Amino acid sequence: MANSVMPILLIEDNPGDARLVREMLAEANAAQASPDTFELKHVTHLAHAEALLAHTTFAAILLDLSLPDCAGLETLRQVCRAAPDMPVIVTSGQGDEALAVDAVQAGAQDYLVKSHLDSHWLARAIRYAIERMRANQLIARQNSRRAALRAIDSAITSSFDLRVTLDIFLENVVSELRVDTVNIWLLNHTLHVLEYTAGRGMRAEMLRQGTLRLDAGFASQAVVERRVIHISDLLQVTDTSPYLVTFQMQNFRDYYAVPFIAKGHVLGVLEILHRAPLTPDPEWLDYVQALAGQAAIAIDNASLLNDLQRSNLELSLAYDATIEGWSRALDLRDKETEGHTQRVTETTVQLARLMGIDDLELVQVRRGALLHDIGKMGIPDHILHKPGALTVAEWEVMRQHPRLALELLSPIAYLRPACDIPYCHHEKWDGTGYPRQLKAEQIPLTARIFAIVDVWDALRSNRPYRAAWDDTQVKAFLQAQAGKHFEPQVVAAFLTFLENNLL
C-alpha cells in the first residue's frame, strides 16, 4: 500500500537551518520507519506563512521564532491564530528552558533545540505533536459536544415552547457538526405528511410552509424505514421533484436524513446538508443520533403538553357549559327575569376588567357570577316563591343562601376560587349586610363589584311587586347608596362604565 503524504510547513529564514531540516526529513522518509511520507513546504517570512495557511492545511508546522518580519513569542501567537487546528513545533537555536515553557504555554506542541536534532528525533517529535494535537482536539470536541447536549437538555427542561428549544437545537447542530444546513420536518399523523418546521443555513423559501408526502423524498424514506438515509452526492441523483431541485440549485452534495424517534414512534426527521463531501467517523454518526434523540424528546414533550392543554381546554369548556346550564336552571327555579344571570355576569366581568382584575381572576369572577344564587337551591319553595312579604323567621332562612352556596361550592376544588361572589354579594359597605356583616374592604372586591351590578339589573327589571325603574331613578338610587350599600369607588367606576357603554 502506498505511503500517505504528511505535508509539513517550515517557517525559517536561515538557509542553512532550512537545508538541515529538509535533509533530516528526507533521511526519515528514506528510513521507511512509518507509512507516512513527509513533504516539506518552506517559507522565510511570517506574512508568507499566514497567506499560505489561509487556504492550505498542514499536518504540522515547524517554526523558528526569529523571522525578518516578526520575532519572539509573538511569532508563535500569530501562527497559532492563523492555524488553530494545526500542531506547531518551535525549532530554536537557544536551549532556554524558560523560553521552552513559555512557548508551550503560548500554544506550541513542542520545543526543539536545533543543535540537538537528528532525523529520527525530528520525525518522532513531529508525529508526537500531531498525535497530541489530535488528542487535544478530540477532547475539546467531546467537551464541546457534551456542552451542546447539556444546552439542548436544559432548553428541553426549562422551556415549554418547542420553537425556543428547536432554535437552540439547530444552533448547536450547525456549530458542532460544522455543516452548511440543517432542516427539521415534523410528521403530521393526521394528514400523513412531513411539514417543514425549522431550519438553519440555507435559502429555504421553497421549503417554508411546505409538505412532503411519505411516498416521496429521502426525508420521507427515513421516516418510513425508521433509519438514517445517507446520499453521498445529491448532484448525481436524477430526480425532478422541487424538493431535490431546491438542494441541487444550492450545490448541496452530502446529505443525511435522521429520523426523530421517541417511545417507539417516529415524530419527524432531521436533514443535514453540506456542499462538500463529509467524511464522518462512527463518533460523528453516534453524536448525530444522540442529537436526534434529544430533539425527539423535545418534540414528544411538546406534543404531550399540547394534548394536555387541549384536554384541559375541553374540560374547562365542559365545566363552564355545565355552570351556565346550572345558572339557567337557577333562574327558572327562582323565576328571575329572563337572561338576568347572563346579563349580570357579562357586565360584572367587564366592570371587573375596567377596575384592574387580571384575566386569571376574571375566569373565577365569571363562574362566581353565574352561580351567585346557587345557595337558593337549599331554600324551600314556599319561602323562595312566596308572593307576599317574608316573616322574620322566613328572612332568617332566606339569608342562609350565601352560606349554603359556600357549602355547595367549596368542596369542589375547581369552583372553590369562585366562592367570593356567591358567599359575599349580600354584604354591604357599611357592615349591615349578611351573612357575616363584613364591612368596607373586608368584603372581597369581586363581591363589591357584583353587588352593584346585581342591584342595577334588578331595579331595571319588572317584578311582581313593582314595575321596572327608569335609568334616571336607578342612577339616583346607586348614587344615594354610595358609602352605605356600595363602595363609593365602585359606584363611580360603574356609573362611568354605564355612560361609556350606553347601557
Side-chain angles (χ1 to χ4, degrees), residues 142-152 172:
Q142 290 173 337
N143 289 338
S144 178
R145 288 177 176 178
R146 279 195 291 268
L149 290 172
R150 285 196 298 271
I152 296 169
N172 281 279

Side-chain angles (χ1 to χ4, degrees), residues 285-479:
L285 292 171
D286 288 344
Y287 184 63
V288 168
Q289 293 188 310
L291 288 170
Q294 281 200 306
I297 293 172
I299 295 163
D300 186 54
N301 287 349
S303 177
L304 291 174
L305 179 62
N306 289 337
D307 290 344
L308 179 61
Q309 289 175 331
R310 183 167 56 251
S311 296
N312 284 342
L313 177 60
E314 291 171 354
L315 184 61
S316 179
L317 291 174
Y319 281 160
D320 286 346
T322 300
I323 291 170
E324 290 189 18
W326 288 353
S327 72
R328 287 192 293 271
L330 291 170
D331 278 358
L332 289 173
R333 181 172 183 268
D334 201 17
K335 295 185 170 57
E336 281 282 9
T337 304
E338 182 179 358
H340 163 74
T341 299
Q342 285 292 334
R343 287 196 303 276
V344 297
T345 296
E346 297 305 323
T347 304
T348 299
V349 169
Q350 293 179 58
L351 179 59
R353 180 178 286 111
L354 181 67
M355 297 193 68
I357 303 295
D358 62 42
D359 288 347
L360 190 61
E361 191 173 356
L362 285 176
V363 174
Q364 306 303 334
V365 170
R366 177 177 177 79
R367 292 169 184 162
L370 286 169
L371 298 174
H372 70 279
D373 271 344
I374 194 171
K376 288 184 179 179
M377 290 177 62
I379 304 302
D381 284 353
H382 74 275
I383 295 177
L384 187 65
H385 299 149
K386 185 176 180 179
L390 299 180
T391 66
V392 173
E394 290 169 339
W395 263 116
E396 285 301 314
V397 174
M398 179 64 80
R399 288 189 175 120
Q400 293 304 308
H401 79 266
R403 293 189 186 277
L404 293 173
L406 183 66
E407 292 173 9
L408 284 168
L409 300 179
S410 59
I412 305 172
Y414 179 75
L415 294 175
R416 196 174 299 135
C419 286
D420 281 349
I421 290 175
Y423 188 34
C424 303
H425 72 283
H426 282 296
E427 302 287 359
K428 295 185 179 181
W429 184 254
D430 62 5
T432 61
Y434 64 90
R436 292 182 292 164
Q437 293 79 52
L438 299 179
K439 185 175 183 179
E441 293 183 356
Q442 293 177 335
I443 307 167
L445 175 59
T446 55
R448 286 178 258 155
I449 292 171
F450 177 82
I452 193 169
V453 176
D454 191 35
V455 171
W456 165 77
D457 189 78
L459 294 176
R460 295 172 75 242
S461 305
N462 287 312
R463 296 297 170 92
Y465 50 87
R466 62 157 175 80
W469 290 11
D470 62 32
D471 289 342
T472 301
Q473 290 175 293
V474 174
K475 179 179 178 181
F477 177 80
L478 298 180
Q479 290 173 323

